[in-house]
Amino acid sequence: MKCISTSIYFNVGKNVIVVPCLQAPAGFGVASCKFIKLQTGYTKKELAEAIMKALGISIINEQEDDSRDFWTEATGIKGYAAFSKKHKCVSVEYVLEKEGYNITAQKRYPDGSYGVDSDNYSVRVKEYPGKPVKETIADQVLEAFRLVEELED
């Protein structure tokens, strides 16, 4: 199933890193280093623009040097597990074939990865028809931020 996606990481201070996901030639997702950082105080419009820009980068799918890590470049943190201890994650995925998108409040697992368990899938994943819309996507993502915090605390 062809899709484009972005991961949105936020820390306790609500600083945000919006990371486009590229599709590697082998078919798996790879985080891009063309991330967008927003400091606390950003507006909904700025958040929406960052998300839409990241989805645009994802659809272009220009491959990058795989020796770079977005988390180190964005924060200076060397390891992904250390980065994920300090950041929660929401993903936006636009599924081209079904003309709809999902916003997922990701769970952090003990190994530092993020995902969704089948037992709480319906709570964490919100499905929307059509293409992501700049005027509403920030509110939808901010709602997912609140959900992540409720479920993780």
Side-chain angles (χ1 to χ4, degrees):
M1 187 173 343
K2 178 71 174 149
C3 67
I4 58 172
S5 64
T6 184
S7 294
I8 304 146
Y9 299 92
F10 63 103
N11 64 13
V12 70
K14 298 292 187 266
N15 297 307
V16 171
I17 306 167
V18 182
V19 182
C21 184
L22 306 176
Q23 187 171 8
F28 53 86
V30 179
S32 170
C33 281
K34 293 180 181 174
F35 56 84
I36 300 122
K37 286 177 70 171
L38 299 173
Q39 300 300 316
T40 300
Y42 52 84
T43 64
K44 288 181 185 179
K45 180 180 178 187
E46 291 169 325
L47 177 58
E49 287 172 351
I51 294 166
M52 299 307 277
K53 181 177 180 181
L55 289 171
I57 292 167
S58 180
I59 203 162
I60 293 169
N61 201 42
E62 182 180 322
Q63 299 302 299
E64 300 174 4
D65 174 3
D66 63 2
S67 68
R68 298 170 56 200
D69 299 318
F70 81 85
W71 60 88
T72 301
E73 290 189 23
T75 66
I77 297 171
K78 300 290 184 210
Y80 188 75
F83 167 83
S84 74
K85 281 183 185 176
K86 296 181 179 186
H87 293 82
K88 298 182 190 255
C89 182
V90 168
S91 67
V92 176
E93 176 184 64
Y94 176 54
V95 183
L96 301 168
E97 286 91 12
K98 84 173 192 181
E99 288 265 331
Y101 64 103
N102 304 325
I103 296 181
T104 306
Q106 300 279 332
K107 174 182 179 179
R108 184 183 180 276
Y109 293 107
D111 67 355
S113 65
Y114 298 95
V116 179
D117 296 330
S118 59
D119 62 332
N120 63 7
Y121 183 86
S122 63
V123 174
R124 289 186 176 267
V125 180
K126 303 296 181 203
E127 296 183 8
Y128 301 93
K131 294 180 180 176
V133 178
K134 189 160 94 170
E135 290 73 27
T136 57
I137 198 160
D139 285 325
Q140 294 162 343
V141 166
L142 291 170
E143 178 59 33
F145 282 3
R146 286 187 286 279
L147 184 60
V148 169
E149 290 176 325
E150 287 173 18
L151 295 172
E152 302 298 314
D153 293 336

